[in-house]
Amino acid sequence: MLERGEVANSWRRERWDSLRLLTPNWLSRLPGHRYEGPDPDGYMTSGEVVDFIERFAAVTQAPVRSNTNVISVRPVDDGYHVSTSQGDFRARAVVLASGAYNLATVPGFSTAVPVSVEQRTPLDYRGPAHLPEGGVLVVGASATGVQLAAELQRSGRLVTLAVGEHVRLPRVYRKRDVLWWMHESGMWDQRYDEVDDLTRARRLPSPQLVGTPERDTLDLSALTALGVELVGRWAAVRDGSALFSGGLRNVCSLADLKMNRLLATFDEWARATGREAEVGPPEEFPPTAIPATARLRLDLRGGGIASIVWATGYRPDYGWLDVPVVDEKGRLRHEGGVLETPGLYALGLPLLRRRRSTFLNGIEDDARAVIDHLARDLAARRIA
Ligand SMILES: Cc1cc2nc3c(=O)[nH]c(=O)nc-3n(C[C@H](O)[C@H](O)[C@H](O)COP(=O)(O)OP(=O)(O)OC[C@H]3O[C@@H](n4cnc5c(N)ncnc54)[C@H](O)[C@@H]3O)c2cc1C
């Protein structure tokens, strides 16, 4: 196992200070290794996630070579040549487990933002104190965007949040964590080959969830109540101003509709499986509270906005992979983690084999399936 940093590197180096998992402790597990502390319904801090993964590495005696940066992987006869900062390796098979969130996705028009405005991504944002004084424009209303908008607004900044397509969820539904419903109903186990539009499902934004001791819901209505100003999707920069789409109402209605549909599916599952007694009565949530008129333009030169945080998504970095298995959008072409090039595999990508694939909890089944394939392939090659 080659790791450019230390065990749990992404949780040490690439998360903001206040981040907690959005998955509850009882659900954040690795093979044979689960949370055993006093708060199974709580949510781990980044530091606790580091400890959790470190303990797993120690218990399993994972053969990790840390501080070993993989610089290139290229095919050679019967395998791959792997160049690293600590020397070269030959391998018959390679599993790409380098993460789905290595780089921040930022729209091209960010280069037209006036230089007086500081720009950050979640990968280099640590907390409100590290941003210059003044208003903040947070772009993107998925898990990262809503969490950062709330934190910045609470710190006393004036925050504007640009909202595109998003997934609205209550933290708790019928007295159970919404991820309890996803897990117990089997929704999280839906397989990649059962999903209608896999490309779209793999690009689905993360749900508007935050893990707090109070188990608060952090949807757009909650942000409006905090004083965050909502605007539509940021579409362009013109003459030093940000131009927003007029579709805020539409994206919010769509998110409300999809949330209600999902909750109705949970209700139906509870009824059909006789689990009604375990949960509270069905609940209804008011439609997202949106401003009567949302602004369509925001001057970025007037000094009102001092910084922008691009919470517009993440993508993997395969700059070091010298094998033609990446599409024009930078995504790996694979079938449930098996690449078309023999001996090459992937783990830890969105909906790799199941909806739970990118979560800590998703690795066990995916790894078993992928490693099964790998072992069979190596055995067949040995026989050949
Ligand atoms: C903001 C955020 C919040 C999240 N919240 C949750 C949550 O609440 N619950 C949950 O279950 N999951 C959450 N996740 C998903 C999270 O990514 C997974 O839980 C987990 O970290 C995935 O592990 P991984 O090993 O697949 O990828 P990563 O954690 O990204 O690890 C990949 C490793 O590969 C190393 N690496 C990359 N390139 C190279 C190279 N060229 N050479 C050598 N090493 C390399 C990196 O240093 C890194 O250590 C969150 C992710 C993000 C970004």
Side-chain angles (χ1 to χ4, degrees):
M1 296 175 65
L2 307 180
E3 166 56 57
R4 64 181 167 195
E6 297 162 74
V7 168
N9 205 48
S10 65
W11 287 96
R12 291 175 198 274
R13 309 256 172 265
E14 295 165 7
R15 309 285 189 255
W16 57 95
D17 294 344
S18 65
L19 179 68
R20 283 174 181 270
L21 288 187
L22 50 80
T23 41
N25 292 336
W26 60 266
L27 189 57
S28 301
R29 48 190 185 224
L30 289 167
H33 191 67
R34 56 182 63 222
Y35 175 86
E36 275 163 5
D39 187 17
D41 293 324
Y43 309 89
M44 285 183 222
T45 61
S46 298
E48 287 166 339
V49 179
V50 171
D51 293 345
F52 184 75
I53 297 175
E54 253 184 348
R55 271 200 307 279
F56 178 71
V59 168
T60 56
Q61 299 184 341
V64 180
R65 291 188 188 219
S66 50
N67 300 308
T68 306
N69 188 23
V70 175
I71 299 160
S72 92
V73 172
R74 62 184 165 81
V76 288
D77 290 343
D78 193 29
Y80 295 90
H81 184 92
V82 181
S83 296
T84 82
S85 56
Q86 305 289 343
D88 291 0
F89 294 82
R90 288 289 283 271
R92 256 168 290 170
V94 173
V95 180
L96 310 171
S98 47
Y101 308 111
N102 311 115
L103 302 171
T105 303
V106 175
F109 59 73
S110 64
T111 53
V113 168
V115 288
S116 56
V117 178
E118 193 159 320
Q119 300 187 47
R120 293 284 172 87
T121 73
L123 296 175
D124 53 30
Y125 169 91
R126 289 291 165 268
H130 301 276
L131 290 186
E133 284 300 315
V136 188
L137 175 54
V138 177
V139 192
S142 295
T144 299
V146 294
Q147 291 182 28
L148 300 191
E151 160 165 299
L152 286 160
Q153 183 75 25
R154 285 192 182 109
S155 77
R157 311 297 182 114
L158 283 180
V159 175
T160 307
L161 177 66
V163 179
E165 191 191 347
H166 58 273
V167 178
R168 180 183 177 198
L169 283 183
R171 176 75 268 182
V172 176
Y173 181 60
R174 299 180 68 178
K175 295 202 160 59
R176 295 286 195 162
D177 193 294
V178 75
L179 295 181
W180 178 89
W181 289 94
M182 295 291 283
H183 176 73
E184 287 291 316
S185 69
M187 189 80 77
W188 244 24
D189 271 324
Q190 193 180 17
R191 288 173 51 98
Y192 73 107
D193 45 10
E194 294 167 358
V195 170
D196 285 341
D197 183 348
L198 183 58
T199 309
R200 192 176 150 70
R202 281 186 169 152
R203 296 180 56 200
L204 201 66
S206 55
Q208 290 173 336
L209 286 177
V210 63
T212 60
E214 300 76 25
R215 302 172 93 195
D216 287 331
T217 290
L218 189 58
D219 56 14
L220 298 179
S221 302
L223 288 173
T224 300
L226 279 176
V228 171
E229 178 184 348
L230 305 183
V231 293
R233 188 172 201 279
W234 188 350
V237 179
R238 196 162 307 143
D239 302 330
S241 289
L243 304 187
F244 305 111
S245 134
L248 178 63
R249 185 172 298 276
N250 285 352
V251 287
C252 293
S253 305
L254 190 64
D256 291 348
L257 183 81
K258 287 188 175 169
M259 176 186 75
N260 289 331
R261 239 190 247 152
L262 180 68
L263 300 181
T265 317
F266 293 156
D267 292 340
E268 179 48 35
W269 165 81
R271 235 187 335 268
T273 54
R275 308 281 297 263
E276 294 268 57
E278 282 178 55
V279 296
E283 285 178 86
E284 274 183 33
F285 299 93
T288 301
I290 45 172
T293 51
R295 75 163 88 210
L296 298 176
R297 190 182 190 107
L298 181 58
D299 181 12
L300 298 173
R301 287 175 307 197
I305 296 294
S307 49
I308 294 170
V309 182
W310 297 102
T312 30
Y314 304 86
R315 62 199 156 90
D317 179 9
Y318 296 119
W320 43 272
L321 187 58
D322 298 319
V323 192
V325 287
V326 177
D327 71 15
E328 68 288 350
K329 296 236 165 92
R331 289 184 297 250
L332 275 188
R333 287 189 300 271
H334 67 92
E335 181 70 27
V338 180
L339 277 75
E340 58 207 22
T341 313
L344 207 51
Y345 297 86
L347 283 172
L349 299 177
L351 233 160
L352 184 103
R353 299 186 67 84
R354 288 185 173 73
R355 284 203 184 270
R356 67 174 78 225
S357 285
T358 25
F359 292 92
L360 292 169
N361 172 278
I363 194 63
E364 179 158 10
D365 291 343
D366 283 10
R368 274 189 212 295
V370 163
I371 301 308
D372 258 10
H373 191 291
L374 187 156
R376 270 188 276 115
D377 181 59
L378 286 186
R381 277 201 254 164
R382 217 172 288 125
I383 291 163

Coordinates of all heavy atoms in Angstrom, one line a residue, residues 35-112:
Y35 N -17.2 1.7 15.6 CA -17.1 2.6 16.7 C -17.6 1.9 18.0 O -18.6 1.3 18.0 CB -18.1 3.8 16.4 CG -18.2 4.8 17.5 CD1 -17.3 5.8 17.6 CD2 -19.2 4.7 18.4 CE1 -17.4 6.8 18.7 CE2 -19.3 5.6 19.5 CZ -18.4 6.6 19.6 OH -18.5 7.5 20.6
E36 N -16.8 2.1 19.1 CA -17.2 1.4 20.3 C -17.2 2.4 21.5 O -17.2 2.0 22.6 CB -16.2 0.3 20.6 CG -16.7 -1.0 19.9 CD -15.7 -2.1 19.8 OE1 -14.6 -1.9 20.3 OE2 -16.0 -3.1 19.1
G37 N -17.3 3.7 21.1 CA -17.4 4.8 22.2 C -18.8 4.9 22.8 O -19.7 4.1 22.5
P38 N -18.9 6.0 23.6 CA -20.2 6.2 24.3 C -21.3 6.8 23.5 O -22.4 6.9 24.0 CB -19.8 7.1 25.5 CG -18.6 7.9 24.9 CD -17.9 6.9 23.9
D39 N -21.1 7.2 22.3 CA -22.0 8.0 21.5 C -22.3 7.5 20.1 O -21.9 8.1 19.1 CB -21.5 9.5 21.5 CG -22.5 10.4 20.9 OD1 -23.7 10.1 20.8 OD2 -22.1 11.5 20.4
P40 N -22.9 6.3 20.1 CA -23.1 5.7 18.7 C -23.9 6.5 17.8 O -23.7 6.4 16.6 CB -23.8 4.4 19.0 CG -24.3 4.5 20.4 CD -23.4 5.4 21.1
D41 N -24.8 7.4 18.3 CA -25.6 8.3 17.4 C -24.9 9.6 17.1 O -25.5 10.4 16.3 CB -27.0 8.6 18.1 CG -27.8 7.3 18.2 OD1 -27.7 6.5 17.2 OD2 -28.5 7.1 19.2
G42 N -23.7 9.8 17.6 CA -23.0 11.0 17.3 C -22.2 11.0 16.0 O -22.4 10.0 15.2
Y43 N -21.4 12.0 15.7 CA -20.7 12.1 14.4 C -19.3 12.4 14.7 O -19.0 13.4 15.4 CB -21.4 13.2 13.5 CG -22.9 13.0 13.4 CD1 -23.7 13.6 14.4 CD2 -23.4 12.2 12.4 CE1 -25.1 13.5 14.3 CE2 -24.8 12.1 12.4 CZ -25.6 12.7 13.3 OH -27.0 12.5 13.2
M44 N -18.3 11.6 14.2 CA -16.9 11.8 14.5 C -16.4 13.1 13.9 O -16.7 13.5 12.8 CB -16.1 10.7 13.9 CG -16.2 9.4 14.5 SD -15.0 8.2 13.7 CE -16.1 6.8 13.7
T45 N -15.4 13.8 14.7 CA -14.7 14.9 14.2 C -13.6 14.3 13.2 O -13.3 13.1 13.3 CB -14.0 15.7 15.3 OG1 -13.1 14.7 15.9 CG2 -15.0 16.2 16.3
S46 N -13.0 15.2 12.4 CA -11.9 14.7 11.5 C -10.8 14.0 12.3 O -10.3 13.0 11.9 CB -11.3 15.9 10.8 OG -12.2 16.5 10.0
G47 N -10.5 14.6 13.5 CA -9.4 14.0 14.3 C -9.8 12.6 14.8 O -9.0 11.7 14.8
E48 N -11.1 12.4 15.1 CA -11.5 11.1 15.5 C -11.5 10.1 14.4 O -11.3 8.9 14.5 CB -12.9 11.2 16.1 CG -12.9 11.9 17.5 CD -14.3 12.3 18.0 OE1 -15.2 12.5 17.2 OE2 -14.4 12.5 19.3
V49 N -11.8 10.6 13.1 CA -11.7 9.8 12.0 C -10.3 9.3 11.8 O -10.0 8.1 11.5 CB -12.2 10.5 10.7 CG1 -12.1 9.6 9.5 CG2 -13.7 10.9 10.9
V50 N -9.3 10.2 11.9 CA -7.9 9.9 11.8 C -7.6 8.8 12.8 O -7.0 7.7 12.4 CB -7.0 11.1 12.0 CG1 -5.5 10.7 12.1 CG2 -7.2 12.1 10.9
D51 N -8.0 8.9 14.1 CA -7.7 7.9 15.1 C -8.3 6.6 14.7 O -7.7 5.5 14.8 CB -8.3 8.3 16.4 CG -7.5 9.5 17.0 OD1 -6.5 9.9 16.5 OD2 -8.1 10.2 17.9
F52 N -9.6 6.6 14.2 CA -10.3 5.4 13.8 C -9.6 4.7 12.7 O -9.4 3.5 12.8 CB -11.7 5.9 13.4 CG -12.7 4.8 13.1 CD1 -13.2 4.0 14.1 CD2 -13.0 4.5 11.7 CE1 -14.1 3.0 13.8 CE2 -13.9 3.5 11.4 CZ -14.5 2.7 12.4
I53 N -9.2 5.4 11.7 CA -8.5 4.7 10.6 C -7.1 4.3 11.0 O -6.7 3.2 10.6 CB -8.4 5.7 9.3 CG1 -9.8 6.0 8.8 CG2 -7.6 5.0 8.2 CD1 -9.9 7.0 7.7
E54 N -6.4 5.1 11.8 CA -5.1 4.6 12.3 C -5.2 3.3 13.1 O -4.4 2.4 12.9 CB -4.5 5.7 13.2 CG -3.4 6.5 12.6 CD -2.8 7.5 13.5 OE1 -3.3 7.8 14.6 OE2 -1.7 8.0 13.1
R55 N -6.2 3.2 13.9 CA -6.4 2.0 14.7 C -6.7 0.8 13.8 O -6.1 -0.3 14.0 CB -7.6 2.2 15.7 CG -7.2 2.7 17.1 CD -8.2 2.4 18.1 NE -9.5 2.8 17.8 CZ -10.0 4.1 17.9 NH1 -9.2 5.0 18.3 NH2 -11.3 4.4 17.6
F56 N -7.5 1.1 12.8 CA -7.8 0.0 11.8 C -6.5 -0.5 11.1 O -6.2 -1.7 11.0 CB -8.8 0.5 10.8 CG -9.1 -0.5 9.7 CD1 -9.9 -1.6 10.0 CD2 -8.6 -0.4 8.4 CE1 -10.2 -2.6 9.0 CE2 -8.9 -1.3 7.4 CZ -9.7 -2.4 7.7
A57 N -5.6 0.5 10.7 CA -4.4 0.1 10.1 C -3.5 -0.7 11.0 O -2.8 -1.6 10.6 CB -3.7 1.4 9.6
A58 N -3.5 -0.3 12.3 CA -2.6 -1.0 13.3 C -3.2 -2.4 13.5 O -2.4 -3.4 13.5 CB -2.6 -0.2 14.6
V59 N -4.5 -2.5 13.7 CA -5.1 -3.9 14.0 C -4.9 -4.8 12.9 O -4.6 -6.0 13.0 CB -6.6 -3.7 14.4 CG1 -7.3 -5.0 14.4 CG2 -6.8 -3.0 15.7
T60 N -5.1 -4.3 11.7 CA -5.0 -5.2 10.5 C -3.5 -5.3 10.0 O -3.3 -6.1 9.0 CB -5.8 -4.6 9.3 OG1 -5.4 -3.3 9.0 CG2 -7.3 -4.6 9.6
Q61 N -2.6 -4.6 10.7 CA -1.2 -4.6 10.3 C -1.1 -4.3 8.8 O -0.4 -5.0 8.0 CB -0.5 -5.9 10.6 CG -0.6 -6.2 12.1 CD 0.2 -7.4 12.6 OE1 0.4 -8.3 11.7 NE2 0.5 -7.5 13.8
A62 N -1.8 -3.3 8.3 CA -1.8 -3.0 6.9 C -0.3 -2.6 6.5 O 0.3 -1.8 7.2 CB -2.7 -1.8 6.7
P63 N 0.1 -3.2 5.4 CA 1.5 -3.0 5.0 C 1.7 -1.6 4.3 O 1.9 -1.6 3.0 CB 1.8 -4.1 4.1 CG 0.5 -4.5 3.5 CD -0.6 -4.1 4.5
V64 N 1.5 -0.5 5.0 CA 1.6 0.8 4.4 C 3.0 1.3 4.3 O 3.7 1.3 5.2 CB 0.7 1.8 5.2 CG1 0.7 3.2 4.6 CG2 -0.7 1.3 5.4
R65 N 3.3 1.8 3.1 CA 4.6 2.5 2.9 C 4.2 4.0 2.8 O 3.8 4.4 1.8 CB 5.3 2.1 1.7 CG 5.9 0.7 1.7 CD 6.7 0.5 0.5 NE 7.1 -0.9 0.4 CZ 8.2 -1.3 0.1 NH1 9.2 -0.5 -0.3 NH2 8.5 -2.6 0.0
S66 N 4.4 4.7 3.9 CA 3.9 6.1 3.9 C 5.0 7.0 3.2 O 6.1 6.5 2.9 CB 3.6 6.6 5.3 OG 4.6 6.2 6.2
N67 N 4.7 8.2 3.0 CA 5.6 9.2 2.3 C 6.1 8.7 1.0 O 7.3 8.9 0.7 CB 6.7 9.6 3.3 CG 6.2 10.3 4.5 OD1 5.4 11.2 4.4 ND2 6.5 9.7 5.7
T68 N 5.3 7.9 0.3 CA 5.7 7.3 -1.0 C 4.7 7.8 -2.0 O 3.5 7.3 -2.1 CB 5.6 5.8 -0.8 OG1 6.5 5.4 0.3 CG2 6.2 5.1 -2.1
N69 N 5.1 8.8 -2.7 CA 4.2 9.4 -3.7 C 4.3 8.6 -5.0 O 5.4 8.4 -5.6 CB 4.6 10.8 -3.9 CG 3.6 11.6 -4.8 OD1 2.4 11.2 -4.9 ND2 4.0 12.7 -5.4
V70 N 3.1 8.1 -5.6 CA 3.2 7.4 -6.8 C 3.2 8.5 -7.9 O 2.3 9.3 -8.1 CB 1.9 6.5 -7.0 CG1 1.9 5.9 -8.4 CG2 1.9 5.4 -5.9
I71 N 4.3 8.4 -8.7 CA 4.5 9.4 -9.8 C 4.0 8.9 -11.1 O 3.4 9.7 -11.9 CB 6.0 9.8 -9.9 CG1 6.5 10.3 -8.5 CG2 6.3 10.8 -11.0 CD1 8.0 10.3 -8.3
S72 N 4.1 7.6 -11.4 CA 3.5 7.1 -12.6 C 3.2 5.6 -12.5 O 3.9 4.9 -11.7 CB 4.4 7.4 -13.8 OG 5.3 6.3 -14.0
V73 N 2.2 5.2 -13.2 CA 1.8 3.8 -13.3 C 1.7 3.5 -14.8 O 0.9 4.2 -15.4 CB 0.5 3.4 -12.6 CG1 0.1 2.0 -12.9 CG2 0.6 3.6 -11.1
R74 N 2.5 2.6 -15.3 CA 2.4 2.4 -16.8 C 2.4 0.9 -17.0 O 3.1 0.1 -16.3 CB 3.4 3.1 -17.6 CG 4.8 2.8 -17.3 CD 5.8 3.7 -18.1 NE 7.1 3.5 -17.5 CZ 8.0 2.5 -17.8 NH1 7.6 1.6 -18.6 NH2 9.2 2.5 -17.2
P75 N 1.7 0.4 -18.1 CA 1.7 -1.0 -18.3 C 3.0 -1.5 -18.9 O 3.7 -0.8 -19.6 CB 0.6 -1.2 -19.4 CG 0.2 0.2 -19.8 CD 0.9 1.2 -19.0
V76 N 3.4 -2.7 -18.4 CA 4.6 -3.4 -19.0 C 4.1 -4.8 -19.2 O 3.0 -5.2 -18.8 CB 5.8 -3.3 -18.1 CG1 6.4 -1.9 -18.0 CG2 5.5 -3.8 -16.7
D77 N 5.0 -5.7 -19.7 CA 4.6 -7.1 -19.9 C 4.1 -7.7 -18.6 O 4.8 -7.5 -17.6 CB 5.9 -7.9 -20.3 CG 6.3 -7.5 -21.7 OD1 5.5 -6.9 -22.4 OD2 7.5 -7.8 -22.1
D78 N 3.0 -8.3 -18.7 CA 2.4 -9.0 -17.5 C 2.3 -8.1 -16.2 O 2.6 -8.5 -15.2 CB 3.2 -10.2 -17.2 CG 2.4 -11.1 -16.2 OD1 1.2 -11.1 -16.2 OD2 3.1 -11.8 -15.4
G79 N 1.9 -6.9 -16.4 CA 1.7 -6.1 -15.2 C 2.0 -4.6 -15.4 O 1.8 -4.1 -16.5
Y80 N 2.5 -4.0 -14.3 CA 2.6 -2.5 -14.3 C 3.9 -2.1 -13.7 O 4.4 -2.8 -12.8 CB 1.5 -1.9 -13.5 CG 0.2 -2.1 -14.2 CD1 -0.6 -3.3 -13.9 CD2 -0.3 -1.3 -15.2 CE1 -1.8 -3.6 -14.6 CE2 -1.5 -1.6 -15.9 CZ -2.2 -2.7 -15.6 OH -3.4 -3.0 -16.3
H81 N 4.5 -1.0 -14.2 CA 5.7 -0.4 -13.7 C 5.2 0.8 -12.9 O 4.5 1.7 -13.4 CB 6.6 0.0 -14.8 CG 7.9 0.6 -14.2 ND1 9.0 -0.2 -14.0 CD2 8.2 1.8 -13.8 CE1 10.0 0.5 -13.5 NE2 9.5 1.8 -13.4
V82 N 5.5 0.8 -11.6 CA 5.1 1.9 -10.7 C 6.3 2.7 -10.2 O 7.1 2.2 -9.6 CB 4.3 1.3 -9.5 CG1 3.8 2.4 -8.6 CG2 3.2 0.4 -9.9
S83 N 6.3 4.0 -10.6 CA 7.4 4.8 -10.2 C 6.9 5.6 -9.0 O 5.8 6.2 -9.1 CB 7.8 5.8 -11.3 OG 8.3 5.1 -12.4
T84 N 7.7 5.7 -8.0 CA 7.3 6.5 -6.8 C 8.5 7.3 -6.3 O 9.6 7.2 -6.8 CB 6.9 5.6 -5.6 OG1 8.1 5.1 -4.9 CG2 6.1 4.4 -6.1
S85 N 8.2 8.2 -5.4 CA 9.2 9.1 -4.8 C 10.3 8.3 -4.0 O 11.3 8.8 -3.6 CB 8.6 10.1 -3.9 OG 7.8 9.5 -2.9
Q86 N 9.9 7.0 -3.8 CA 10.9 6.1 -3.0 C 11.3 4.9 -3.8 O 11.6 3.9 -3.3 CB 10.1 5.6 -1.7 CG 9.5 6.6 -0.8 CD 10.6 7.4 -0.1 OE1 11.8 6.9 0.0 NE2 10.2 8.5 0.5
G87 N 11.4 5.1 -5.1 CA 11.9 4.0 -6.0 C 10.8 3.4 -6.8 O 9.6 3.8 -6.7
D88 N 11.2 2.4 -7.6 CA 10.2 1.8 -8.5 C 9.8 0.4 -8.1 O 10.4 -0.3 -7.3 CB 10.9 1.6 -9.9 CG 11.1 3.0 -10.5 OD1 10.8 4.0 -9.9 OD2 11.7 3.1 -11.6
F89 N 8.6 0.0 -8.6 CA 8.0 -1.3 -8.3 C 7.5 -1.9 -9.5 O 7.1 -1.2 -10.5 CB 6.8 -1.2 -7.3 CG 7.1 -0.7 -6.0 CD1 7.2 0.7 -5.8 CD2 7.2 -1.5 -4.9 CE1 7.4 1.2 -4.5 CE2 7.4 -1.0 -3.6 CZ 7.6 0.4 -3.4
R90 N 7.5 -3.3 -9.5 CA 6.7 -4.0 -10.6 C 5.6 -4.7 -9.9 O 5.7 -5.2 -8.8 CB 7.6 -5.1 -11.2 CG 8.7 -4.5 -12.1 CD 8.1 -3.9 -13.4 NE 7.7 -4.9 -14.4 CZ 8.6 -5.4 -15.3 NH1 9.8 -4.9 -15.4 NH2 8.2 -6.3 -16.1
A91 N 4.4 -4.6 -10.5 CA 3.2 -5.3 -9.9 C 2.4 -6.0 -11.0 O 2.3 -5.4 -12.1 CB 2.4 -4.2 -9.2
R92 N 1.9 -7.1 -10.7 CA 1.0 -7.8 -11.6 C -0.4 -7.2 -11.7 O -1.0 -7.2 -12.7 CB 0.9 -9.3 -11.3 CG 1.8 -10.1 -12.2 CD 1.9 -11.5 -11.8 NE 2.7 -11.5 -10.6 CZ 2.9 -12.5 -9.8 NH1 2.3 -13.6 -10.0 NH2 3.7 -12.4 -8.7
A93 N -0.8 -6.6 -10.5 CA -2.1 -5.9 -10.5 C -1.9 -4.7 -9.7 O -1.1 -4.6 -8.8 CB -3.1 -6.9 -9.9
V94 N -2.7 -3.7 -10.0 CA -2.7 -2.4 -9.2 C -4.1 -2.0 -8.9 O -5.0 -2.1 -9.7 CB -2.1 -1.3 -10.1 CG1 -2.2 0.0 -9.3 CG2 -0.6 -1.6 -10.3
V95 N -4.4 -1.7 -7.6 CA -5.7 -1.2 -7.2 C -5.6 0.3 -7.0 O -4.7 0.8 -6.2 CB -6.2 -1.9 -5.9 CG1 -7.6 -1.3 -5.5 CG2 -6.2 -3.4 -6.1
L96 N -6.3 1.1 -7.7 CA -6.3 2.6 -7.6 C -7.3 2.9 -6.5 O -8.5 2.9 -6.6 CB -6.7 3.2 -8.9 CG -6.0 2.7 -10.1 CD1 -6.7 3.3 -11.4 CD2 -4.6 3.1 -10.1
A97 N -6.7 3.3 -5.3 CA -7.6 3.7 -4.1 C -7.1 5.0 -3.7 O -7.0 5.3 -2.5 CB -7.4 2.6 -3.0
S98 N -6.9 5.9 -4.6 CA -6.3 7.2 -4.4 C -7.3 8.3 -4.0 O -6.9 9.4 -3.9 CB -5.4 7.6 -5.5 OG -6.1 7.4 -6.7
G99 N -8.6 7.9 -3.9 CA -9.6 8.8 -3.5 C -10.4 9.4 -4.6 O -9.9 9.5 -5.7
A100 N -11.6 9.9 -4.3 CA -12.5 10.5 -5.2 C -12.5 12.0 -5.1 O -13.1 12.7 -5.9 CB -13.9 10.0 -5.0
Y101 N -11.7 12.5 -4.1 CA -11.9 14.0 -3.8 C -10.5 14.7 -3.7 O -10.3 15.5 -2.9 CB -12.6 14.1 -2.5 CG -13.9 13.4 -2.4 CD1 -14.1 12.3 -1.6 CD2 -15.0 13.8 -3.2 CE1 -15.3 11.5 -1.5 CE2 -16.2 13.1 -3.1 CZ -16.3 12.0 -2.3 OH -17.5 11.3 -2.3
N102 N -9.6 14.3 -4.7 CA -8.3 14.9 -4.6 C -8.2 16.4 -5.0 O -7.4 17.1 -4.5 CB -7.3 14.1 -5.5 CG -7.4 12.6 -5.3 OD1 -7.8 11.9 -6.2 ND2 -7.0 12.2 -4.1
L103 N -9.0 16.8 -6.0 CA -9.0 18.1 -6.5 C -10.4 18.8 -6.4 O -11.4 18.1 -6.4 CB -8.6 18.1 -8.0 CG -7.3 17.4 -8.4 CD1 -7.2 17.3 -9.9 CD2 -6.1 18.2 -7.8
A104 N -10.3 20.1 -6.3 CA -11.6 20.8 -6.2 C -12.0 21.2 -7.7 O -11.2 21.6 -8.5 CB -11.5 22.1 -5.4
T105 N -13.3 21.0 -8.0 CA -13.8 21.4 -9.3 C -14.2 22.9 -9.2 O -15.1 23.2 -8.4 CB -15.0 20.5 -9.7 OG1 -14.6 19.2 -9.6 CG2 -15.5 20.8 -11.1
V106 N -13.6 23.7 -10.0 CA -14.0 25.1 -10.0 C -14.3 25.5 -11.5 O -13.6 25.2 -12.4 CB -12.7 25.9 -9.5 CG1 -13.0 27.4 -9.6 CG2 -12.4 25.5 -8.1
P107 N -15.4 26.3 -11.7 CA -15.8 26.6 -13.1 C -14.7 27.5 -13.7 O -14.0 28.3 -13.0 CB -17.1 27.4 -12.9 CG -17.4 27.5 -11.5 CD -16.4 26.7 -10.7
G108 N -14.6 27.4 -15.0 CA -13.6 28.2 -15.8 C -13.7 29.7 -15.6 O -12.7 30.4 -15.6
F109 N -14.9 30.2 -15.4 CA -15.1 31.7 -15.3 C -14.5 32.2 -14.0 O -14.5 33.5 -13.8 CB -16.5 32.1 -15.5 CG -17.5 31.5 -14.5 CD1 -17.6 32.0 -13.2 CD2 -18.4 30.5 -14.9 CE1 -18.5 31.4 -12.3 CE2 -19.4 30.0 -14.0 CZ -19.4 30.5 -12.7
S110 N -14.0 31.4 -13.1 CA -13.4 31.9 -11.9 C -12.2 32.8 -12.2 O -11.8 33.6 -11.4 CB -12.9 30.7 -11.0 OG -11.9 30.0 -11.6
T111 N -11.6 32.6 -13.4 CA -10.4 33.4 -13.8 C -10.8 34.8 -14.0 O -10.0 35.7 -14.1 CB -9.7 32.8 -15.0 OG1 -10.7 32.7 -16.0 CG2 -9.1 31.5 -14.7
A112 N -12.1 35.1 -14.3 CA -12.6 36.4 -14.6 C -13.0 37.2 -13.3 O -13.4 38.3 -13.3 CB -13.8 36.4 -15.5

